[in-house]
Amino acid sequence: MNVYIKTYGCQMNERDSESAAAMLAEAGHTIVHTEKAADLIILNTCSVREQAELKAIGKLGILSRLKREHPWLLFGIMGCMAQSRGEELLEKIPHLDFVIGTDNIHLLPETVAELEKGRRKMRHDLRMGADTPGIDAHRLEESEQPFSAFVSISRGCNRFCSYCIVPYVRGPERSREMDSIVEEVRMLAGQGVKEIMLLGQNVASYGFDRKPPSEMPDDVSHFAELLSRINDIDGIRRIRFTSPHPAYFNRRLIETVGALPKVCKSMHLPLQSGSDLVLKRMNRPYTAEKYLQIVNDLRALAPQMTFSTDIIVGFPGETEADFEATRQMMQAVRYDNAYIFKYSPRKGTVSAKLYPDDVPQTEKERRNQVLLAELEKINAENNNALVGQDFELLAEGPSKRNSASWMGKTDTFKQVFFKAPDGLKKGDFINVHIVRATSMSLYGDVI
Ligand code: 5AD
Ligand code: SF4
């Protein structure tokens, strides 16, 4: 069967789609890249904000028209909406043939086999452990960046930030066996992968679900141990991860990130808010001061470290003073990137139950714009300061906008455009001297 998978949402979903595609290809199916070429269309859905769910529902509506023209077409949903609203969707959407929850991706090949036999309206959404079959299945040969791979290290989340639906949808945190992750990375290194992105809702708490400590120790980090073991694998040159919760970023992890040469000196560290009062209502157990301490401790070990973050504006009760505290944090950390979200209440979460969504939409939008403008200013200053410096880049390939130049990334996750010398291949390392900067990008000459 020709299968098209459309992915919404986060990198976790992208990774799940890749392993789904690998398992289906292994079972003899062909993965196609357009809806038109498909006999089966699967949407891998996201639930984190209402907007994401509306987008997928809209897409299903459009697809129902396709079905009228091509009655043989089959449809499935996987991902967060399949897990949390699968039964309802199967009932309401006549042309939907199956839903596969977030822990059941390995059941996809047999579900498709059942479809071929004529069965319809199947639902698989049981909770499983983390090490399900196929969680380590990749499709590097189909990737545009076969030198780089995502690796899931855990499923679910135990944090229950008050605004977040993820723990309800993806379930409790379950860490994969460390040996199995290390084996997967070794296999990828053997196939030429040089850069690994470790994925989890909260990577820093990796392993603590097996034996939860009564209090977060300062000298134990299973995640740091995992980083050390991956750092030892020949062929792997860069290790990245997303996202660590600040409350689990203890002394051991800070020292490990600072010390290990392959662990990239760029950190995505979700702040969410710079106001201690808002953080408390968000059930994020740290203060702005504690967060800044982590940033400063990391920079003391690696001064070149860059930071990116997630921020929510317009959380219930967020005053002008609270917002100002977030703006101040942007200034203090000097982020290189920030994903800014306008608060949207999610049914079933604590904040949706306890607090009225009282910041007007226009004010959320204004706060969003203020932070974006702030970020642009900081980016220009950060980038200008890099002019004249030399960096090693991992060459990713020709630039999308201008194929005469190539794009590569520094260890600190900065994009640099440069003129590629003859014979340069995707995934090669190359040294450049930065000659020009804008708020968005850097331009370099090959050394
Ligand atoms: N409203 C707005 N943003 C949210 N996020 C999670 N839940 C919500 C919500 N209800 C944001 C957080 C998280 C990112 C993935 O999405 O910033 O880090
Ligand atoms: Fe959601 Fe918080 Fe878990 Fe992240 S750590 S997935 S924001 S509950």
Side-chain angles (χ1 to χ4, degrees), residues 292 295-296 299 326-335 378:
L292 215 45
V295 171
N296 291 337
R299 282 205 170 122
T326 302
R327 209 181 59 81
Q328 296 274 337
M329 279 297 277
M330 269 200 125
Q331 279 295 344
V333 181
R334 308 200 57 73
Y335 291 108
I378 296 170

Side-chain angles (χ1 to χ4, degrees), residues 157 159-161 163-164 166-167 201-202 245 272 284:
C157 182
R159 277 300 336 151
F160 289 95
C161 300
Y163 51 81
C164 186
V166 167
Q201 300 301 335
N202 177 6
H245 188 299
Q272 310 300 358
R284 303 273 297 180

